[in-house]
Amino acid sequence: MQKPSLPKGTRDFGPIQMARRNFILDTIKETFQIFGYQQLETPAMENLSTLTGKYGDEGDQLLFKILNSGDFLKNVSEEDFKNGAATTLPKVSEKGLRYDLTVPFARYVVMNRHELTFPFKRFQIQPVWRADRPQKGRYREFYQCDADVVGTDSLLCEAEIILMIHKVFSKLGIQDYSIKVNNRKILTGIAEAIGEAGKEGPLCVAIDKLDKIGKEKVEEELRQRGFGEEAITKLQPLFDANPEDFDAGLEFLKGFLAESETGKQGIAELEETLNILASLGGTRDHVAFDFLLARGLSYYTGAIFEVKAHGVKIGSVSGGGRYDDLTGVFGMPGVSGVGFSFGVDRLYDVMEELGLFPEDNLSAPVLLLAHFDQKGFDYAASLLSQVRAKGIRAELYPDLTKLKKQLDYASKKGIPFVGICGDKEIESKTVALKDLTTGEQSSVTLEEMLEKLY
RNA sequence: GUGAUUGUAGCUCAGCUGGUUAGAGCGCUGGUUUGUGGCACCAGAGGUCGCCGGUUCGAAUCCGGUCUUUCACCCCA
């Protein structure tokens, strides 16, 4: 006999965990829906050609590939094998597990472009898979909750994203968090302002680590990435500026980016987003301007978001941004969109670490009908449907056994009430209803019981 | 992919420098209580010490490999 085990980085979710996950999932789903997003699902697997090349070299490495069915070696020659994995792979695998929800969404938009009404707002809540090394807050199978709008450049979408984040976090009870916002155009402007135009990619990778590894290390990394001393010197005011105050940060950048058209545009977009947010009645609470925030630059072109919960050592729980040409690689250029994503698994970890889950067992039934013998069982069975018809979660203990065992079962499962059915109860057409939390017990009719439990 | 780290009963863990029949707490089963759970007491079941190999008279303990866990880096939700 073998000991069963799970693949690395995957987990089972038991009843309690599922109740909690559903609480998070339902909150997010309701929020998306109330903002006018409609649900979409795509297959777990995509053609490998859809996935490869979309996430950079790193991403390709982290893709789970699915071995072709049947004799997967039939197209592989001796020579392919010698040439190594790169040439052999396409011959043994043509499908892969989805790595995120954005690329499958782009594929869907392109394939259904004639059917869709733009702007198209969709949300998608599904697992994704990454062949990463698991660690804290990082799994190989995890859920993403994406909401994207494609086909509009309106900054209303950006403002609404902030509103949705506020709403979800408030419902989940997470109070201490920050929504960091930035704009890719500001980063481009910074690269221009320091005389390294077009190099915002490497610039971002390096400065993104500022709070993690410190100024000196960042400068070192910039030199390694080919930035001149002059550029690094020009960057100094940025390192020293502490953008605690949103407006102060903006004012500072207006000066710093005075020569960069793109940079000024980025600032204007950010200000406009805040204006719309205000007219929507939203607050700026938790919103922080972080002009060094850089993430997922492979496709973001405008706004960038990242949400972090404070007081826990877990990476970002949500993030997103605007991309101008999501569907270009699939032959449909010029479709701009903006989207963001909640990481349910990380939200779960955050809430667990902060003790934000309510104590009561949300998924447990409310009533267990217990009995002493076949007669009691039959009597209880006759009541069961009437209880359930009222919408009360109820179950009947299935085996004839001692009452002790049935009570034990109820308290372990977190069922608060037990309806005991014996000869006395059958005779008087009642139920001995016991409240397991207080230990109190009273003889009640079916109607009285329904009244009490409803 | 790089560097660490973990693995002993269902769970959490003891087991010192290698030495008889590997322990505890919790949980589980039964009983004290044949119409009443939680508390208490009593009894019992349960372990190829992750796996493979090596060193040794002798390995849970030392060595190598492998898988697994956790963590950091890279990157990311």
Side-chain angles (χ1 to χ4, degrees), chain A residues 199-265:
Chain A
K199 287 175 75 173
E200 68 263 33
L203 176 70
C204 291
V205 172
I207 61 180
D208 192 36
K209 298 176 194 161
L210 185 64
D211 54 347
K212 213 168 186 178
I213 60 176
K215 190 171 122 184
E216 280 72 27
K217 289 267 173 85
V218 169
E219 289 177 359
E220 199 175 298
E221 185 161 342
L222 284 169
R223 279 184 203 102
Q224 278 173 11
R225 289 175 187 270
F227 284 81
E229 285 306 319
E230 195 185 339
I232 294 174
T233 310
K234 281 185 177 169
L235 217 42
Q236 290 306 314
L238 278 182
F239 291 151
D240 301 333
N242 190 352
E244 280 290 302
D245 181 341
F246 209 123
D247 297 304
L250 279 174
E251 285 313 311
F252 165 76
L253 275 187
K254 278 179 186 169
F256 193 83
L257 298 176
E259 303 299 313
S260 163
E261 281 309 313
T262 312
K264 283 194 283 189
Q265 199 190 332

Side-chain angles (χ1 to χ4, degrees), chain A residues 44-57:
Chain A
M45 63 182 97
E46 292 276 349
N47 289 324
L48 217 41
S49 56
T50 304
L51 301 173
T52 46
K54 309 300 186 301
Y55 310 106
D57 292 342

Side-chain angles (χ1 to χ4, degrees), chain A residues 48 52 65-66 68 72 75-76 80 84-95:
Chain A
L48 217 41
T52 46
K65 290 105 185 167
I66 296 171
N68 291 340
F72 52 85
N75 295 325
V76 180
D80 293 328
T87 43
T88 312
L89 179 67
K91 301 198 171 181
V92 298
S93 168
E94 52 192 24
K95 295 179 292 296

Side-chain angles (χ1 to χ4, degrees), chain A residues 97-135:
Chain A
L97 294 176
R98 77 166 97 75
Y99 178 89
D100 71 357
L101 300 178
T102 311
V103 165
F105 172 55
R107 194 219 75 227
Y108 175 87
V109 169
V110 172
M111 287 178 65
N112 296 277
R113 62 179 112 175
H114 301 302
E115 271 67 55
L116 298 176
T117 312
F118 292 97
F120 180 53
K121 301 173 80 170
R122 86 86 172 79
F123 76 92
Q124 193 169 344
I125 299 178
Q126 290 188 271
V128 302
W129 295 269
R130 295 181 189 180
D132 229 345
R133 281 260 184 112
Q135 53 180 283

Side-chain angles (χ1 to χ4, degrees), chain A residues 28 43 79 81 94 104 117 166 253 454:
Chain A
I28 294 171
E79 198 164 327
F81 193 73
E94 52 192 24
T117 312
H166 275 149
L253 275 187
Y454 186 65

